Amino acid sequence: MSSRLYKLLLILGIVACFAAMPLFWLTYHQPSRLEVDFLDVGQGDAILIKTPGGQNILIDGGPDKTVIKRLGENLAWWDKQIDLMILTHPHDDHVTGLIEVLKRYGVKRILYTGAAHNAPNYLAWLKTARDKKVPLTIIDKAQTVNLGEQTKLEILYPGRSLLNKTLADLNDSSIIIKLVHGQNKFLLTGDAGLEVEKTLLAGEADLAADILKVGHHGSEYSTSQEFLEKIKPRIAVIQVGAGNDFGHPNLRIIKRLERTGAEIFRTDLSGTVKMISDGEKIEIN
Amino acid sequence: MISQAGKTFSRSKIFLIVCLVFIFGLAAASFSPLNFFQFEIWWFGVAVFFLVLTFLSRAAAETSITDGRQLALPLNRAAGQADNKFFIDSGLSLKSAAFYFLLASILFFSFWRYGVSLPEDAPDKIWHYNQSADGSGGRAVIARGIISKEPDIRESSQKLEINVSEICLDNESGGECRGLKARGKVLVTTALYPEYKYGDELVFQGELKQPEEFNGFAYDRYLARYEIYSVCYYPKILPPLSLPLSKGESTHPDNWFYGKIFVLKNFLTGLIDAGLSEPESSLARPVVFGGQRGLEQKIRDDFQKVGLTHIMAVSGFNISIIAAIVMAGLLASGLNRRQAFYLAVMFLAVYIIIVGAPASAMRAGLMGVLVLWALKLGRLNKITNSLVLTAAILLLINPKLLRDDVGFQLSFLAIAGLVYVYPILEALWQKMRLPKFKGVSDALLITLAAQVFTLPILAYNFSQISLIAPLANLAVLWAVPILTILILAALPLAALLPNLAFIFFLPSLILTKYILATVKFFAAWPHSYLTVDYLSPLWIVLYYFLAIFLVIKARRSKLLSQEISGKM
């Protein structure tokens, strides 16, 4: 092959590659499936939701920068955007990883409670969010965020504004979320304790769900018998670090979950738990 | 010219020997017991004494030889026929005595230099307060200082090097805390957040401690390289004004130049983070900027097993290769050697500034310039003197590097391997008439040559000998300079169009993915590495004697020397 022809082909090839990229973008449609990844970030919570419409939602960020690695593993290489970041409550094992996420990803909006806390990590997170000019929204009532035709995010708790309020137990300020996709329902309870569970039981919200993210890493101060009976989960996910100092998850809670008939997945044993819902059934791998 | 027993040493040879004696002296000093250096000024005195002897005997030699020559003049022939030979001979032996006096002077001087680098215990030094009064543990202090280096940010903590200017002792009997001037560096370990930056002023309250050896790793010596003799774990960090300034003390920001450089570096690493995901960005960052520990332990262990950890450092070896590639590219584009040399040196200077100009990168840069210079001259093996001189100058600046800085040792040994062993291997390859595979054989021989001298140091420090290393290096090394250059090219584009960063970083993404996959693949091989639990220093010395002996022997042997001189 003459070198001129070779050069010509090379240039054409490069042009074709560049032309293919936007075409691929415009024509590529994600199937209408919802993906929920319970990320393995050690002792802490981090949940990534990929909606059928292509939005990325991140609930909490775990205790260190591990979440960045998990996001890299679970998002496409060109996907550097988090459309919604939710901080359930300001404890270190939920907020720390989010600081680095704010720095490396384009975050469009943040939901949080605004409960008063002055630990360095929480303050650093707030400062980074302000530096990056990310709009911050306070949850002041139960509300629903629509994510698509059959997908929505219901915020069940807190029902009132906690802005600048000092709480005896910050865990009880946790945002509680019910994610609905067609027939499939996920209940994500943060670190909420028994008191909050009682409040929810007394309220009108429909708590029934297929999948429960077990509250407070499986601690004995969450997940009461009554609460479980109301939810009737088929699957329970515990986000917990191997060999943690708190003795999470509590053995009694595990027994309780087993009696309810829920299949248990733990991030300390099986790493990131990935669930894909088509609106009717849920695939786990 | 100094003649001695029939041998003649040229000036450059004397110079080389002087540098080598200095390095040898520092080596001996760094393994000598500490009480050798209690009155280091004596060493200096002896060094000066020998220096004076050198000059005296040289002067005497000159007069003696002149006398001898005068006696040999025709007028005096009758008188001094027998004497002139005596005068010239004694002049010559005086000259060689001068040479030995000079070496003795250098030897004592190197001992003095090492002694001066040791910490002096005085109440105005921060390390004076490493122990509580009863000696049971650390001493509680409040200290004020300025962050004098980029924060070293780890997975779940950060390390700050703080240049302390004054302290306040927590009075053990209670009561007022009294302020004292005490200077020196403290390495503070603290939580990830809040974040600090170079030049920030801090006041911290905690226990000062002496760094200690752990798991056979001489952490104390490791920190002493950079004059850190105190550490402090998780102190309480107070607002800067909580310790009142003593009179006349100003809070000067440390160094404007470095402050700006680090801002630029943070901006650039931020671009890499935005353009690549994990773990690719954590590989890309250290390949370009060095010295960072983003990769998770499991992947780092794999790099160790296949002997590729070195690509994640701005080392003399890596900079030399990048410099050589840039130079080759410039030469290929039609510049002459002179122009290519100066442009490549400028490229190196800019690169070193971008990576934050730490001492290690400056050393690496110096070696890169050396290699470029050798390339300008057109021959690699003419740089013995410059290599030894560079080592001597760096050690004159910081004598502790020789024993305690693995990076320093590896860089010089790798380049020494490149300069002295590579031509031998190449000649052997040609002699055996093995095929060249368009440069692949050269790449293999370069990695092998670099390993020859570095192997024992690697085994001693990292307790592992990678058996797969030559193969893994062959598979990966070619990609490293290309990756560096691709990332450097993508950075300005990503800065201009941040939303398209991921496209500009696509080529680097492919290369990083390739490197990570290759490392994982080779690390999974059975017996890819040997574990060395303990390596006696005696074996290391023996190994080097043997290696140097073989290299000299090979270079002198006729079969090879022909091809070597033909090649070079």
Side-chain angles (χ1 to χ4, degrees):
Chain A
M1 204 187 298
S2 76
S3 76
R4 180 180 283 184
L5 186 61
Y6 178 74
K7 267 185 199 159
L8 197 68
L9 281 178
L10 191 70
I11 292 168
L12 278 178
I14 293 170
V15 169
C17 282
F18 274 95
M21 262 191 251
L23 272 178
F24 173 74
W25 248 307
L26 292 173
T27 52
Y28 179 74
H29 282 296
Q30 276 192 318
S32 81
R33 298 192 307 175
L34 174 85
E35 183 178 322
V36 180
D37 302 328
F38 297 88
L39 304 175
D40 173 23
V41 290
Q43 178 64 15
D45 272 12
I47 302 164
L48 173 67
I49 300 167
K50 296 200 254 179
T51 70
Q55 297 138 310
N56 298 324
I57 300 169
L58 182 65
I59 302 175
D60 292 344
D64 53 29
K65 295 178 181 174
T66 316
V67 67
I68 300 293
K69 278 159 202 150
R70 301 293 167 255
L71 286 179
E73 288 160 9
N74 290 290
L75 288 173
W77 61 268
W78 64 81
D79 203 349
K80 304 287 274 181
Q81 184 167 311
I82 300 289
D83 300 273
L84 180 63
M85 173 185 275
I86 301 177
L87 176 67
T88 59
H89 69 291
H91 274 156
D92 282 1
D93 56 336
H94 295 252
V95 74
T96 310
L98 292 181
I99 303 170
E100 199 63 22
V101 174
L102 278 173
K103 286 187 187 164
R104 296 202 193 187
Y105 286 78
V107 177
K108 294 285 154 204
R109 176 170 289 279
I110 291 176
L111 293 185
Y112 75 126
T113 61
H117 190 49
N118 57 7
N121 293 5
Y122 179 58
L123 298 179
W125 175 74
L126 276 178
K127 183 176 178 299
T128 314
R130 288 197 188 112
D131 289 350
K132 294 267 173 189
K133 301 194 174 64
V134 184
L136 290 149
T137 307
I138 303 278
I139 301 289
D140 53 1
K141 56 179 185 297
Q143 51 196 283
T144 301
V145 183
N146 279 315
L147 302 170
E149 279 170 36
Q150 49 167 2
T151 318
K152 61 184 175 179
L153 201 91
E154 293 173 11
I155 293 167
L156 308 181
Y157 184 89
R160 63 196 168 98
S161 171
L162 297 174
L163 183 60
N164 297 331
K165 293 232 164 65
T166 310
L167 282 94
D169 184 357
L170 263 182
N171 286 333
D172 284 346
S173 74
S174 287
I175 295 176
I176 294 180
I177 294 162
K178 189 166 151 187
L179 174 68
V180 181
H181 180 60
Q183 309 293 316
N184 299 140
K185 302 183 187 80
F186 299 74
L187 188 66
L188 315 169
T189 60
D191 279 1
L194 299 171
E195 284 302 313
V196 176
E197 292 178 358
K198 266 185 207 159
T199 318
L200 281 174
L201 285 169
E204 294 162 3
D206 173 21
L207 297 175
D210 309 281
I211 286 153
L212 169 70
K213 198 240 41 146
V214 178
H216 202 185
H217 324 288
S219 128
E220 58 179 318
Y221 305 110
S222 291
T223 326
S224 63
Q225 186 66 43
E226 301 78 42
F227 195 55
L228 266 185
E229 278 166 12
K230 195 75 181 268
I231 301 166
K232 297 199 192 67
R234 289 192 290 119
I235 292 159
V237 182
I238 305 177
Q239 289 204 287
V240 68
N244 65 74
D245 300 337
F246 310 97
H248 295 162
N250 186 285
L251 205 59
R252 211 174 323 150
I253 299 296
I254 292 183
K255 288 269 183 282
R256 192 176 289 168
L257 287 165
E258 281 169 350
R259 274 203 306 274
T260 322
E263 191 183 352
I264 300 174
F265 289 88
R266 291 168 55 170
T267 53
D268 59 337
L269 301 180
S270 38
T272 294
V273 179
K274 186 183 277 251
M275 300 189 180
I276 293 168
S277 150
D278 63 359
E280 283 166 14
K281 52 185 193 308
I282 295 168
E283 242 178 77
I284 302 177
N285 42 9
Chain B
M1 298 280 242
I2 289 179
S3 322
Q4 172 228 13
K7 259 197 201 163
T8 310
F9 283 163
S10 65
R11 271 179 195 284
S12 69
K13 202 94 182 195
I14 294 173
F15 179 73
L16 176 68
I17 292 173
V18 164
C19 287
L20 284 174
V21 166
F22 176 67
I23 294 171
F24 171 78
L26 283 182
S30 61
F31 284 98
S32 303
L34 278 182
N35 54 18
F36 266 46
F37 303 102
Q38 254 164 0
F39 303 103
E40 79 254 355
I41 196 69
W42 284 103
W43 296 112
F44 186 69
V46 178
V48 170
F49 171 72
F50 275 111
L51 197 64
V52 170
L53 275 188
T54 310
F55 283 119
L56 284 180
S57 47
R58 261 195 79 92
E62 290 299 331
T63 43
S64 186
I65 290 172
T66 337
D67 284 357
R69 295 234 167 92
Q70 263 169 6
L71 283 176
L73 288 176
L75 269 180
N76 294 328
R77 186 170 288 171
Q81 184 68 279
D83 286 343
N84 76 40
K85 195 172 156 28
F86 165 77
F87 275 112
I88 291 180
D89 276 357
S90 67
L92 290 181
S93 61
L94 268 174
K95 262 198 161 176
S96 60
F99 177 60
Y100 288 118
F101 286 144
L102 177 66
L103 292 191
S105 168
I106 295 291
L107 197 64
F108 284 107
F109 175 74
S110 65
F111 266 69
W112 171 72
R113 178 65 193 94
Y114 189 78
V116 168
S117 77
L118 293 173
E120 169 201 15
D121 190 24
D124 65 339
K125 304 284 189 240
I126 187 79
W127 52 85
H128 184 71
Y129 305 96
N130 276 350
Q131 273 193 344
S132 60
D134 55 0
S136 61
R139 175 116 180 217
V141 297
I142 302 175
R144 170 208 298 287
I146 286 173
I147 299 179
S148 55
K149 210 176 155 191
E150 267 189 298
D152 173 7
I153 295 167
R154 309 284 180 91
E155 194 69 6
S156 54
S157 67
Q158 55 178 332
K159 289 184 185 286
L160 309 171
E161 186 187 298
I162 297 182
N163 211 340
V164 169
S165 54
E166 64 175 324
I167 62 165
C168 199
L169 294 174
D170 262 4
N171 208 328
E172 265 132 10
S173 56
E176 273 285 289
C177 133
R178 62 200 166 90
L180 279 173
K181 286 242 166 68
R183 296 188 176 277
K185 292 177 186 170
V186 178
L187 189 67
V188 167
T189 306
T190 179
L192 266 181
Y193 302 98
E195 290 175 322
Y196 300 99
K197 59 179 198 303
Y198 172 83
D200 281 356
E201 189 177 36
L202 289 185
V203 174
F204 61 94
Q205 177 177 25
E207 272 189 2
L208 288 185
K209 273 184 195 153
Q210 199 160 350
E212 279 166 2
E213 193 175 308
F214 64 89
N215 295 341
F217 172 58
Y219 190 51
D220 47 347
R221 300 196 69 101
Y222 173 82
L223 291 182
R225 291 178 308 167
Y226 297 122
E227 314 212 306
I228 299 173
Y229 305 103
S230 308
V231 291
C232 185
Y233 291 99
Y234 295 97
K236 208 159 119 190
I237 294 183
L238 311 167
L241 285 176
S242 50
L243 193 65
L245 285 178
S246 22
K247 264 185 194 153
E249 189 80 23
S250 69
T251 60
H252 60 94
D254 227 19
N255 185 325
W256 180 87
F257 173 69
Y258 270 110
K260 292 289 172 211
I261 283 184
F262 292 141
V263 171
L264 175 68
K265 183 180 171 185
N266 279 338
F267 172 68
L268 295 176
T269 48
L271 286 177
I272 295 184
D273 284 340
L276 293 169
S277 337
E278 289 293 334
E280 289 81 16
S281 67
S282 279
L283 173 62
R285 257 180 294 121
V287 163
V288 180
F289 294 99
Q292 291 172 9
R293 327 165 166 256
L295 279 178
E296 56 189 305
Q297 197 55 42
K298 216 176 80 206
I299 302 181
R300 290 174 58 80
D301 288 347
D302 282 354
F303 270 87
Q304 192 81 55
K305 281 179 200 164
V306 302
L308 274 172
T309 311
H310 66 88
I311 68 168
M312 293 187 285
V314 180
S315 64
F317 185 61
N318 286 343
I319 282 215
S320 303
I321 291 180
I322 291 172
I325 286 182
V326 169
M327 179 102 173
L330 290 172
L331 283 175
S333 72
L335 294 175
N336 67 32
R337 273 185 192 279
R338 221 178 112 84
Q339 293 163 331
F341 169 74
Y342 287 112
L343 269 179
V345 168
M346 265 157 60
F347 169 83
L348 273 194
V350 170
Y351 178 57
I352 286 164
I353 288 175
I354 288 179
V355 304
S360 60
M362 303 239 250
R363 287 203 300 270
L366 205 55
M367 286 157 119
V369 171
L370 263 186
V371 169
L372 284 180
W373 190 43
L375 286 174
K376 181 180 164 236
L377 294 176
R379 41 191 71 186
L380 208 54
N381 65 345
K382 289 274 168 178
I383 64 168
T384 305
N385 275 26
S386 344
L387 198 62
V388 174
L389 175 66
T390 313
I393 291 175
L394 291 174
L395 292 173
L396 189 66
I397 298 169
N398 185 353
K400 287 175 191 148
L401 294 177
L402 186 60
R403 180 177 166 186
D404 300 317
D405 195 307
V406 182
F408 175 85
Q409 297 162 0
L410 290 180
S411 285
F412 271 96
L413 291 172
I415 292 195
L418 220 57
V419 173
Y420 303 111
V421 181
Y422 171 59
I424 297 172
L425 293 181
E426 204 186 18
L428 269 176
W429 191 274
Q430 278 182 353
K431 204 179 133 205
M432 292 195 268
R433 298 185 191 286
L434 295 166
K436 297 206 46 125
F437 299 119
K438 290 192 177 175
V440 175
S441 69
D442 285 341
L444 179 70
L445 294 181
I446 284 177
T447 64
L448 274 177
Q451 298 257 322
V452 169
F453 289 130
T454 55
L455 200 63
I457 299 290
L458 287 170
Y460 183 77
N461 288 292
F462 303 112
S463 306
Q464 273 178 357
I465 296 180
S466 175
L467 298 180
I468 203 88
L471 210 54
N473 274 281
L474 184 61
V476 163
L477 267 197
W478 63 269
V480 175
I482 300 178
L483 179 62
T484 311
I485 291 166
L486 278 178
I487 295 171
L488 287 178
L491 284 173
L493 293 173
L496 284 175
L497 297 166
N499 288 330
L500 294 178
F502 64 93
I503 296 183
F504 303 132
F505 279 104
L506 181 58
S508 1
L509 177 82
I510 295 168
L511 272 186
T512 45
K513 275 209 185 296
Y514 165 75
I515 294 175
L516 287 169
T518 314
V519 167
K520 201 172 169 188
F521 170 72
F522 280 120
W525 278 24
H527 309 297
S528 61
Y529 64 98
L530 278 181
T531 307
V532 186
D533 286 331
Y534 175 72
L535 191 65
S536 158
L538 202 66
W539 285 112
I540 299 181
V541 173
L542 207 65
Y543 178 94
Y544 280 121
F545 267 117
L546 197 67
I548 293 171
F549 173 75
L550 285 177
V551 166
I552 292 176
K553 188 115 178 134
R555 291 178 77 87
R556 291 220 173 126
S557 83
K558 278 192 182 146
L559 270 171
L560 290 180
S561 64
Q562 242 176 356
E563 300 205 34
I564 291 172
S565 55
K567 271 306 285 184
M568 284 294 166

